[in-house]
Amino acid sequence: MGRAKALVIACCLACCGYASPLLAAEEGGRVHEGTIFTLWPLVDYRESPRDQYRNLSLLGPLFKFQSHGDDSTLAVRPLLYRTEDRREQTAQTSYLYPLASTDSSPRATTFQVMQLLQKNVYRKGEEGEERTSQFFPFYLQGRSEKYGPYTAVFPLYGDIYERLWRDEIHFVLFPLYSRTVNKGTTSRNYLYPFFNTIEGDKESGFQFWPLYGQAAKEGVYRKRFFLWPFFLSETRDINTDNPKDRLYLFPFYAALDSPQRTSRHYFWPFFGHTVDRGSGTVPEKPAGPTFEIPDGDEERNTGKLEEWDYFWPFWYTVRSAERNEVSWLPFYAGTVKKETEKHWYMWPLYRTDKMDSKLFRQERDRVLYWLYSDKRESWPVDGTSRRKVACWPLYVYTKDPKGVMGFSFPAPVEPILDKEGIEKNWAPLWRIYQQRWNEQGDSAVSFFWNLYWHEARGTDLAYEFFPLLAYRSESEFTDFRLLKGLIGYRNRAGAKQLTLFWLPFGVNWGKEAVSQSAVTLQPGTGSRP
């Protein structure tokens, strides 16, 4: 277990832009040791045949080439970052994240630029390929199973099917003319949004915005406006058991009436009152002085939910059996639901969030949004947990469910944008110091992109402060170098050797004679046999 966690630590450091030394293992009676070659800041090469692991870093975190089993990584930060899984035949590439990316698998290949330019190829076996592309909103091309292929060149001409929440969209020299069809309703716009007509099954309407407009569908809805947004009225859901009547005389008066809900607002946003009758049950009085209901509220609060707005959205209260909320910003705001709580104190100074369920628990404390954040998560069923503490722009501390902890400095972006793309493409460029460790004492450290690094696994230890000294110690093996081999000392199971001036041979002594080939250290490589 300790070795497995140590390998996790080493791989984490390698993924962040540098590799960690990999120690020896025995296989079939032969010793297969890793290779370490450093020439800071130009080259850092690490290899472990036992783990099928290789990592080459050039110019600190700028260039990275790594392979680990079937997985490989290529990074030219921050321009390109590519990962590939040869076994699953998948690959992901990001270009100047988050500007552009590609994603490839046996089933699909996608390419996007800021989610505006997209090109997708979907492989459907014997059915062949389906291709879609767009440069939103100027060019869209695709195929609908119901309507067939479509193309749109905005604003000149276009036909679009089953996209943008509509069954059909047609336009010519938009905004001069456009037509949409959705669920049997056809809407035509002339010089959008000023002139509009609506037609459908027992449905019709028109508008001359913002002066006047009306529309109705028999037995479903009717609505009209006059001098929008100052006068609006509508009746919706007539064909349901909860029809709704709304009236707006902005900003003096607004009303909503339905069998389940009644709402009144006067001189919006200063005063409003809403009662949602729902099941007609009396809400429970929540515990704690924060949510004490004033005397008399128990008699009025006969519905499922009651809301009082005094200066929305800053001052209001909401009471219900499942939700209790109060806001007196900037002094205090709090929401309590069945499994979640949220509290603000002196907004935006301090905020707490809590989620507590049988499967998942989360607590988070924040000061000034991202200045300081402490998030703790746990899974009671399997007893695992994780934690992340971030203090912008100084540091980020993490602890994952496997018990591996990490610390990095500085952190100018990570506390604000907690994204995997930031972690892979950008964060290694500014992380001066980084450490990974676990409770068993295994650890790996890098300072100034491996100007100084060390790794400890149980009783094994390796560290280097380029180019002054390098030291490695493991079972029956010790190796020490000054100035990359100007003076070197090695002890392998009592067989000792002293080398000078980077010579490939030296003075040997100890309980056994050691052949020159067994102790040779190539000049300046830092490699072990």
Side-chain angles (χ1 to χ4, degrees):
M1 180 63 71
R3 289 241 177 217
K5 289 186 176 181
L7 180 59
V8 170
I9 293 175
C11 291
C12 287
L13 287 172
C15 291
C16 291
Y18 50 81
S20 301
L22 300 166
L23 304 179
E26 292 190 5
E27 181 180 345
R30 298 180 58 190
V31 176
H32 298 273
E33 295 182 346
T35 299
I36 302 174
F37 171 76
T38 61
L39 188 62
W40 187 90
L42 302 178
V43 180
D44 191 304
Y45 177 73
R46 317 284 169 122
E47 179 183 5
S48 174
R50 176 194 63 182
D51 301 313
Q52 302 180 35
Y53 172 86
R54 291 181 177 85
N55 187 93
L56 172 64
S57 297
L58 304 175
L59 296 177
L62 294 182
F63 299 91
K64 171 188 175 72
F65 310 90
Q66 177 180 293
S67 64
H68 187 192
D70 293 322
D71 300 330
S72 63
T73 301
L74 166 65
V76 184
R77 293 188 177 95
L79 300 178
L80 179 145
Y81 192 96
R82 176 180 175 84
T83 59
E84 183 177 359
D85 187 333
R86 290 183 292 274
R87 182 178 58 183
E88 300 294 334
Q89 301 181 33
T90 62
Q92 297 83 36
T93 307
S94 59
Y95 307 91
L96 199 61
Y97 176 88
L99 180 63
S101 67
T102 61
D103 195 331
S104 177
S105 70
R107 304 182 65 176
T109 299
T110 64
F111 170 75
Q112 66 84 25
V113 179
M114 295 297 290
Q115 301 300 323
L116 300 178
L117 174 62
Q118 296 184 14
K119 185 175 182 180
N120 308 306
V121 178
Y122 302 100
R123 288 174 278 276
K124 298 184 175 182
E126 296 180 357
E127 299 180 11
E129 295 182 345
E130 177 182 328
R131 298 176 180 268
T132 64
S133 60
Q134 73 172 39
F135 181 27
F136 189 83
F138 305 106
Y139 176 80
L140 284 85
Q141 178 271 326
R143 182 181 181 85
S144 165
E145 294 185 2
K146 181 178 180 180
Y147 299 96
Y150 61 84
T151 302
V153 181
F154 185 85
L156 301 179
Y157 175 84
D159 300 297
I160 304 172
Y161 300 114
E162 297 184 309
R163 294 189 66 174
L164 304 176
W165 308 281
R166 294 292 185 270
D167 296 333
E168 301 179 38
I169 300 176
H170 310 274
F171 61 87
V172 178
L173 297 177
F174 185 86
L176 292 183
Y177 174 77
S178 65
R179 176 171 62 92
T180 65
V181 180
N182 191 46
K183 297 180 181 179
T185 299
T186 300
S187 177
R188 290 181 172 85
N189 290 280
Y190 308 89
L191 198 60
Y192 178 88
F194 299 105
F195 302 97
N196 170 262
T197 63
I198 294 175
E199 61 183 42
D201 183 20
K202 298 180 180 180
E203 183 177 16
S204 63
F206 70 93
Q207 76 171 28
F208 180 22
W209 186 87
L211 299 180
Y212 181 80
Q214 67 177 42
K217 184 172 184 178
E218 183 179 337
V220 179
Y221 77 88
R222 56 180 177 269
K223 59 183 178 178
R224 68 177 58 193
F225 71 82
F226 177 69
L227 293 178
W228 187 95
F230 299 105
F231 174 83
L232 300 92
S233 68
E234 65 177 13
T235 301
R236 288 184 174 273
D237 302 328
I238 301 175
N239 56 339
T240 70
D241 58 359
N242 188 41
K244 304 177 182 67
D245 290 312
R246 288 186 172 92
L247 174 64
Y248 298 92
L249 300 175
F250 185 82
F252 307 105
Y253 178 75
L256 165 64
D257 289 289
S258 74
Q260 296 182 8
R261 191 178 182 92
T262 299
S263 177
R264 295 291 186 273
H265 284 82
Y266 307 92
F267 295 99
W268 184 91
F270 290 103
F271 181 76
H273 180 227
T274 300
V275 175
D276 190 331
R277 282 169 285 276
S279 61
T281 58
V282 178
E284 299 178 1
K285 185 176 179 180
T290 301
F291 294 103
E292 289 291 334
I293 301 176
D295 293 341
D297 274 11
E298 292 89 341
E299 297 180 0
R300 296 195 308 272
N301 192 3
T302 59
K304 184 178 181 179
L305 179 147
E306 185 171 18
E307 177 176 349
W308 291 89
D309 298 329
Y310 307 101
F311 182 30
W312 191 88
F314 305 104
W315 299 344
Y316 63 89
T317 62
V318 179
R319 318 287 191 190
S320 75
E322 298 179 351
R323 171 189 171 201
N324 290 278
E325 186 171 354
V326 61
S327 175
W328 301 109
L329 291 175
F331 309 106
Y332 173 79
T335 302
V336 177
K337 297 182 181 179
K338 183 178 180 180
E339 296 180 346
T340 63
E341 292 185 26
K342 178 176 67 176
H343 303 276
W344 277 106
Y345 301 92
M346 298 304 296
W347 180 91
L349 181 62
Y350 179 64
R351 172 174 171 169
T352 65
D353 296 85
K354 182 178 180 180
M355 177 185 295
D356 193 349
S357 68
K358 295 181 180 180
L359 301 178
F360 177 69
R361 295 174 182 171
Q362 176 179 289
E363 294 182 73
R364 186 176 185 184
D365 301 319
R366 284 189 279 179
V367 177
L368 292 174
Y369 285 100
W370 306 288
L371 183 64
Y372 175 83
S373 172
D374 183 356
K375 183 166 67 173
R376 304 167 297 280
E377 299 173 308
S378 62
W379 291 262
V381 175
D382 55 15
T384 59
S385 63
R386 67 183 179 188
R387 184 179 183 183
K388 181 175 181 179
V389 181
C391 184
W392 180 86
L394 299 179
Y395 67 83
V396 171
Y397 164 85
T398 60
K399 182 178 182 180
D400 68 20
K402 296 181 180 180
V404 177
M405 291 161 278
F407 178 86
S408 59
F409 166 86
V413 177
E414 302 93 311
I416 301 174
L417 295 176
D418 185 11
K419 301 291 186 180
E420 184 180 3
I422 296 293
E423 185 73 19
K424 291 180 177 179
N425 293 268
W426 292 95
L429 297 175
W430 55 66
R431 284 181 176 167
I432 298 174
Y433 177 85
Q434 189 167 6
Q435 181 176 1
R436 294 282 188 270
W437 72 97
N438 59 27
E439 296 176 352
Q440 288 71 39
D442 303 322
S443 67
V445 170
S446 175
F447 177 68
F448 265 111
W449 306 283
N450 278 0
L451 174 64
Y452 168 80
W453 59 263
H454 95 236
E455 181 181 335
R457 295 188 186 184
T459 59
D460 300 336
L461 175 66
Y463 61 83
E464 179 176 5
F465 185 16
F466 184 90
L468 300 180
L469 60 90
Y471 175 82
R472 294 163 205 170
S473 175
E474 49 189 282
S475 178
E476 298 185 344
F477 175 81
T478 300
D479 186 86
F480 177 76
R481 292 287 183 267
L482 286 176
L483 295 175
K484 302 297 287 183
L486 176 65
I487 300 175
Y489 169 78
R490 172 174 292 189
N491 183 342
R492 183 188 292 277
K496 304 173 183 178
Q497 182 188 57
L498 177 67
T499 60
L500 299 172
F501 301 108
W502 306 283
L503 292 172
F505 54 87
V507 179
N508 303 317
W509 75 96
K511 60 182 182 181
E512 294 182 5
V514 182
S515 66
Q516 176 177 323
S517 61
V519 298
T520 298
L521 186 69
Q522 296 298 326
T525 64
S527 301
R528 301 203 307 266

